[in-house]
């Protein structure tokens, strides 16, 4: 009788240990997944690729490197018409293209007639500025930085005046003639060339 009870108790302990082990492993897997090597690699790739998805705008400056051809390499400004003038390649429409798209366009202009199988690299050297006016302490033109929000823009302009409506901003994107009302209850991104107006509060 004692041996039977002891055997059952032993089997119960083994089952309990196995159950705890399975639950522990499952818990570890769930915890490790967000910070797994694969997850970290994907996050890193996304961060690295983000600048390559930026769409070029007037007043941006691009750094162009054409390997083994210094005459075409340099820093060039996207003009008001969205064009960039590059020696040997001529005038190329850049506005609306990513840096990868501009690389392809420059390569097409150089390939065959000027160079054979040119290797081109394009990076954004300087983003075009944005403008902020209205009820801020220091309205004017300011340099853009990737990831900037209207809150950041207001901070660069010295903050709100005491008359400011801090719930709404009006944004006129570069190349547009119309303002768009944007609620400041969420983070509103800024783009190069944006003209931001902070209105006066009526309350």
């Amino acid at each position: 009788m004692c041996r039977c009870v002891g055997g059952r108790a032993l089997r119960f302990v083994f089952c309990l240990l196995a159950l705890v082990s399975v639950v522990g492993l499952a818990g570890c897997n769930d915890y490790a997944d967000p910070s797994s090597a694969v997850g970290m690699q994907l996050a890193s790739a996304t961060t690295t690729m983000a600048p390559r998805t930026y769409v070029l705008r007037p007043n941006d400056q691009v750094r162009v490197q054409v390997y083994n051809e210094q005459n075409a390499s340099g820093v060039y400004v996207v003009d008001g018409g969205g064009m960039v003038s590059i020696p040997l390649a001529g005038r190329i429409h850049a506005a609306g293209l990513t840096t990868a798209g501009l690389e392809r366009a420059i390569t097409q202009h150089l390939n065959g007639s000027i160079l054979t199988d040119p290797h081109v690299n394009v990076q954004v050297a300087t983003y075009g500025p944005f403008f902020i006016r209205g009820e801020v302490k220091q309205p004017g033109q300011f340099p853009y930085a990737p990831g900037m929000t209207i809150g950041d823009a207001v901070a660069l302009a010295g903050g709100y005046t005491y008359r400011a409506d801090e719930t709404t901003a009006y944004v006129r994107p570069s190349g547009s003639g119309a303002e768009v009302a944007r609620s400041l209850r969420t983070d509103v991104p800024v783009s190069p060339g944006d003209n931001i107006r902070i209105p006066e509060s009526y309350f």
Side-chain angles (χ1 to χ4, degrees):
M1 180 67 178
C2 293
R3 284 197 300 272
C4 180
V5 172
R8 289 177 181 175
L10 188 59
R11 285 196 297 273
F12 175 77
V13 170
F14 280 130
C15 290
L16 183 60
L17 289 173
L19 180 61
V20 170
S21 176
V22 170
V23 171
L25 288 173
C28 290
N29 287 337
D30 288 342
Y31 176 79
D33 183 64
S35 59
S36 64
V38 173
M40 293 178 66
Q41 289 173 357
L42 289 174
S44 175
T46 301
T47 303
T48 303
M49 291 174 62
R52 302 286 287 177
T53 64
Y54 171 76
V55 175
L56 295 169
R57 295 170 171 83
N59 298 318
D60 286 343
Q61 294 186 10
V62 292
R63 180 176 291 105
V64 178
Q65 182 177 7
V66 182
Y67 296 97
N68 298 322
E69 186 50 71
Q70 294 302 313
N71 290 332
S73 298
V75 176
Y76 306 101
V77 178
V78 181
D79 63 27
M83 307 293 289
V84 61
S85 297
I86 299 175
L88 304 181
R91 284 176 57 79
I92 299 173
H93 192 84
L97 297 179
T98 62
T99 52
L102 183 56
E103 286 175 1
R104 291 190 291 269
I106 296 172
T107 300
Q108 290 174 359
H109 279 72
L110 292 175
N111 195 25
S113 59
I114 304 296
L115 301 172
T116 301
D117 192 26
H119 295 280
V120 180
N121 179 264
V122 176
Q123 297 178 336
V124 178
T126 305
Y127 296 91
F130 69 91
F131 308 85
I132 186 167
R133 56 193 175 91
E135 297 302 325
V136 290
K137 295 178 181 178
Q138 298 172 6
Q141 172 183 309
F142 295 91
Y144 168 82
M148 180 173 285
T149 66
I150 289 182
D152 299 324
V154 170
L156 283 176
Y160 295 106
T161 67
Y162 71 92
R163 295 185 300 268
D165 178 356
E166 300 184 19
T167 65
T168 304
Y170 292 88
V171 181
R172 178 165 53 83
S174 176
S176 172
E179 289 184 331
V180 178
R182 303 298 301 271
S183 171
L184 297 182
R185 291 184 173 87
T186 59
D187 290 333
V188 179
V190 174
S191 295
D194 278 356
N195 196 309
I196 304 165
R197 178 172 65 88
I198 304 298
E200 182 178 351
S201 175
Y202 296 101
F203 301 98

